[in-house]
Amino acid sequence: MASNTIAEINRCDIEDSSTCTTASITNVRHLASYNWIERPTPTIAVPGSPPLWSSPKTSKQLQKDSGLYYINQNEARYPESPLEPLFQALYLTHPAFDIRFMDVVSDRNNIRKLLAFINSDLDPGNLEPFTIAVEVIGTTALFRRDEAAVTRFIAPNEFRGFGHKFEEEYTVNQVNNSTGHHRIIAYQFCGLELVVRYEADGFVTTDQIGKPQDDPLLASMRGLSLSPATDASSVNPVQSKLLIMGEGRLVPPESILEIKTRAISRHLPIQDVAAQLWVSQTSKLVRAYHYRGKFEVPQVEDVETQVKRWEELNQNDLKRLASLIKTISNLARQYGGKVTVRYEGGSKLSLYRSDKADMLPRFLYSKWEERGNPQARMTASTQKEGVVPDTVDRSQEKTVETTRARYGDGPYSEMISYGVDNGFRQFFRRMPMDLSQYHLLCNTLDSLAIDVTEGRTIRDIMHDMRKGKGDWDPEERSEIRGSKNIARDSAFRLLYVLIQSHVVDTNMAYNAVLFVVSHPRIFRSRTRKMVREAFEENCPVSGKQRAVLDKWSVEELPIGSEEEATTESEDIFFDSDYSF
């Protein structure tokens, strides 16, 4: 595979899009929608409908999720061409739509992954290894999800939250045998014209939603019901394996709803979901909280203003997102029109030549042909903004200050230099397991005026450590991995506060320490041991607290057992007056 590498894109070298003064999504248009139908033959219903939000008036106990769920339903049901349903629904709804003026066609998931690569804080839990297939047709780049697994089976003895069961109980399907509703929108972003597909959880009723029998689109599609797409009104002039039926209702974009579930001990801040809502321009949100599966009555929130504020606060990274999308598109165009984008950890994206089959059936490629000149759109310049050389890594050209110039010859100066550059978690990996040495390290950090906490309280540190926990995203049908680097950096901040500060709220400190020692999948033995020792040295510990802490070993475990240890969010209950 290494011989097929055509470029590497370093995160640090992605610059703002110079053609974009404001990184805002504008001119949003709803284009089309469809539902997947549970049938032996791949079948979609156009326009379909998302499930209707129907919340009970009282709290409700739910069973945990179990069974088979989709991670990427479009690929699972139609692996020959996961993007074809998008175009079928689009051209059935808008037969004259000119795709040639679109720069990018993508699923929301791809854009979220690229944004997380630029700054993982903008989409917590979404930065893990990923692959995106890219094909350029004319000046349009198709971005296709390329998942290692398209479904997931949750065993009866496995815990993955309550998100699926919640959607089943709190929404009502509007299309018979529907297994998921997908929507297609278009908008402008930093000089790019994008078509974006995403899955919608539900919708709320408004006076704008018409009755199905009054829908003119449905009336024109009656002849398509459960037949191959060969009708004159269909996009497909030849037989397609995808079956299309006319069913559903047109639902206005402002009614679309995103649903999130969380344990009541884990507040879901808007910034943790803003990126997802922003990419699909979804304005309604339900944050449903539960205690061991018992949900209180959830509320529908209008978060349009909050998402817009998030956009305003993250202009630099959003401009870099636009630049990255342009760079990938132009590199694909340079190297024959097909590339594979891979992120395998670290700070680089790798691009490889691709010899995969075409993403679309042949009849759809005619949509890019211009009258009298079929190749006109295929010869666009490859010198657009964002083109980068084969290896985008300019770090060797930069002058790096020496450790001595930065931190002198004090104790642990080299280690401090490395930790400041690569994360405070590095101290746990390199320091001796001797608390007196951590005292010396923290004193040196203070003498160098290094701001370890950056104003964080223990409560703030606890919130950051919780970001290391995994979760399950019912909308994307995939596991959300926690940001362990943030959690581990925060564990050192906790140790620093315990050593260097006079801790007033010892109950809060105890809860934070208990979180560290009880999560061996996030924090290694060295971290758990040092944090507990710092707590016991500097804070009074009651007999009850010590008994709970003693339930969790901080010593090295046998090889393999530490990786296998599990602590789900519902399994630990803090015996204090505080909740997180």
Side-chain angles (χ1 to χ4, degrees):
M1 180 62 72
S3 61
N4 291 328
T5 304
I6 60 174
E8 290 180 335
I9 302 175
N10 193 304
R11 179 187 295 120
C12 298
D13 294 326
I14 302 171
E15 299 178 352
D16 293 355
S17 177
S18 61
T19 62
C20 180
T21 56
T22 303
S24 297
I25 289 177
T26 59
N27 193 23
V28 182
R29 295 96 70 198
H30 171 74
L31 297 181
S33 58
Y34 65 91
N35 285 48
W36 277 108
I37 306 300
E38 185 60 67
R39 292 183 179 273
T41 302
T43 304
I44 61 172
V46 180
S49 172
L52 175 63
W53 173 251
S54 179
S55 175
K57 304 298 184 183
T58 60
S59 60
K60 190 169 186 176
Q61 179 70 46
L62 300 183
Q63 297 296 314
K64 65 183 179 66
D65 292 341
S66 64
L68 183 68
Y69 297 101
Y70 289 104
I71 296 173
N72 181 6
Q73 186 165 187
N74 289 295
E75 184 176 359
R77 290 193 175 275
Y78 203 56
E80 297 94 329
S81 179
L83 285 173
E84 183 184 339
L86 181 159
F87 286 96
Q88 291 274 27
L90 171 60
Y91 284 113
L92 282 169
T93 310
H94 297 286
F97 186 84
D98 196 340
I99 191 65
R100 297 171 301 172
F101 295 103
M102 297 294 107
D103 296 299
V104 177
V105 178
S106 176
D107 284 298
R108 172 176 63 182
N109 183 269
N110 295 326
I111 300 175
R112 291 180 62 191
K113 287 173 178 174
L114 294 177
L115 183 58
F117 168 73
I118 288 173
N119 184 348
S120 60
D121 289 342
L122 296 186
D123 203 345
N126 209 39
L127 184 58
E128 56 186 80
F130 64 79
T131 302
I132 300 172
V134 180
E135 179 178 333
V136 174
I137 311 168
T139 57
T140 305
L142 308 182
F143 284 40
R144 187 190 68 200
R145 293 179 66 177
D146 196 349
E147 305 287 355
V150 295
T151 60
R152 178 183 177 86
F153 180 76
I154 303 176
N157 61 345
E158 186 179 6
F159 180 78
R160 290 291 173 183
F162 300 87
H164 296 289
K165 291 296 184 184
F166 182 89
E167 289 188 23
E168 292 172 7
E169 294 292 332
Y170 283 72
T171 63
V172 179
N173 268 345
Q174 304 297 290
V175 177
N176 292 332
N177 300 314
S178 169
T179 59
H181 177 72
H182 296 262
R183 300 180 70 81
I184 303 145
I185 60 175
Y187 51 70
Q188 296 172 343
F189 170 61
C190 273
L192 292 168
E193 292 281 353
L194 289 95
V195 173
V196 176
R197 174 176 64 181
Y198 67 98
E199 185 174 4
D201 293 336
F203 76 100
V204 292
T205 55
T206 70
D207 295 337
Q208 295 174 288
I209 301 175
K211 298 180 180 180
Q213 60 266 30
D214 297 329
D215 190 339
L217 174 62
L218 283 174
S220 68
M221 294 178 59
R222 298 302 181 193
L224 294 176
S225 182
L226 292 180
S227 61
T230 56
D231 187 271
S233 62
S234 169
V235 63
N236 191 351
V238 295
Q239 192 172 56
S240 170
K241 296 179 181 179
L242 182 67
L243 303 184
I244 304 173
M245 56 186 291
E247 185 176 347
R249 62 170 65 182
L250 295 178
V251 176
E254 60 270 19
S255 298
I256 298 303
L257 181 68
E258 181 66 35
I259 298 173
K260 298 293 183 184
T261 61
R262 287 291 185 276
I264 198 167
S265 60
R266 300 180 61 207
H267 175 68
L268 179 64
I270 189 66
Q271 57 265 31
D272 283 5
V273 294
Q276 181 178 359
L277 301 175
W278 177 79
V279 176
S280 58
Q281 292 293 283
T282 302
S283 61
K284 301 297 188 298
L285 174 66
V286 167
R287 289 181 276 192
Y289 295 102
H290 68 90
Y291 177 75
R292 290 186 169 182
K294 186 174 183 179
F295 285 84
E296 297 302 319
V297 179
Q299 301 297 320
V300 176
E301 305 172 70
D302 189 326
V303 294
E304 181 178 5
T305 301
Q306 294 165 274
V307 174
K308 186 64 177 178
R309 178 59 177 162
W310 175 90
E311 180 186 71
E312 294 170 353
L313 293 174
N314 292 284
Q315 284 292 292
N316 181 60
D317 286 327
L318 294 179
K319 290 178 182 179
R320 295 174 69 211
L321 171 65
S323 181
L324 177 58
I325 292 172
K326 293 174 185 178
T327 295
I328 293 172
S329 300
N330 288 323
L331 283 170
R333 187 176 295 108
Q334 278 184 280
Y335 289 93
K338 292 182 181 179
V339 300
T340 298
V341 180
R342 283 201 179 97
Y343 174 70
E344 298 173 308
S347 61
K348 294 180 180 179
L349 287 179
S350 297
L351 277 71
Y352 302 90
R353 296 183 188 275
S354 174
D355 56 0
K356 292 186 177 181
D358 292 343
M359 289 189 185
L360 302 175
R362 294 311 307 166
F363 68 86
L364 281 173
Y365 287 93
S366 64
K367 297 295 180 179
W368 277 270
E369 293 181 3
E370 292 188 333
R371 293 181 181 178
N373 186 4
Q375 299 300 319
R377 300 286 289 183
M378 306 297 289
T379 58
S381 170
T382 61
Q383 302 304 315
K384 286 187 177 182
E385 175 199 357
V387 173
V388 294
D390 286 2
T391 301
V392 190
D393 186 353
R394 305 182 182 91
S395 58
Q396 295 181 354
E397 300 175 8
K398 299 177 181 178
T399 302
V400 181
E401 296 178 289
T402 64
T403 299
R404 177 171 297 181
R406 297 173 68 187
Y407 300 116
D409 293 321
Y412 295 121
S413 60
E414 292 185 5
M415 188 179 298
I416 289 172
S417 175
Y418 190 83
V420 169
D421 290 342
N422 297 280
F424 294 137
R425 62 191 179 278
Q426 304 297 337
F427 295 141
F428 288 121
R429 298 174 181 176
R430 289 163 172 77
M431 287 286 291
M433 294 178 66
D434 181 348
L435 193 60
S436 65
Q437 297 301 307
Y438 277 88
H439 278 278
L440 180 59
L441 171 66
C442 292
N443 288 335
T444 305
L445 290 169
D446 280 354
S447 69
L448 294 170
I450 294 174
D451 189 0
V452 175
T453 64
E454 297 178 329
R456 292 176 175 85
T457 64
I458 293 181
R459 180 181 290 274
D460 297 328
I461 291 171
M462 179 67 173
H463 175 74
D464 288 343
M465 290 194 300
R466 281 190 169 276
K467 293 180 180 179
K469 293 177 67 65
D471 209 333
W472 181 258
D473 189 337
E475 191 276 335
E476 295 294 346
R477 306 294 192 253
S478 63
E479 181 181 1
I480 302 175
R481 291 188 179 181
S483 181
K484 292 183 179 179
N485 287 349
I486 293 176
R488 291 164 179 169
D489 286 347
S490 299
F492 179 80
R493 290 190 175 97
L494 174 62
L495 179 143
Y496 174 89
V497 170
L498 293 172
I499 289 178
Q500 297 298 98
S501 305
H502 174 64
V503 178
V504 176
D505 193 344
T506 57
N507 199 40
M508 178 70 72
Y510 162 72
N511 277 325
V513 172
L514 177 58
F515 182 86
V516 173
V517 301
S518 63
H519 285 79
R521 291 186 68 183
I522 302 176
F523 307 101
R524 307 301 293 175
S525 173
R526 302 172 69 90
T527 304
R528 303 197 308 273
K529 183 177 178 64
M530 290 296 98
V531 167
R532 177 167 177 177
E533 285 188 14
F535 173 68
E536 292 180 341
E537 179 190 75
N538 295 281
C539 298
V541 184
S542 69
K544 183 179 179 181
Q545 289 175 337
R546 190 178 302 278
V548 175
L549 290 172
D550 286 342
K551 294 179 181 179
W552 303 94
S553 173
V554 296
E555 301 300 330
E556 287 287 349
L557 301 179
I559 295 175
S561 60
E562 190 157 9
E563 285 298 321
E564 297 301 321
T566 60
T567 52
E568 295 293 347
S569 59
E570 273 69 35
D571 295 338
I572 298 174
F573 304 94
F574 299 106
D575 53 345
S576 75
D577 296 331
Y578 294 92
S579 61
F580 299 92

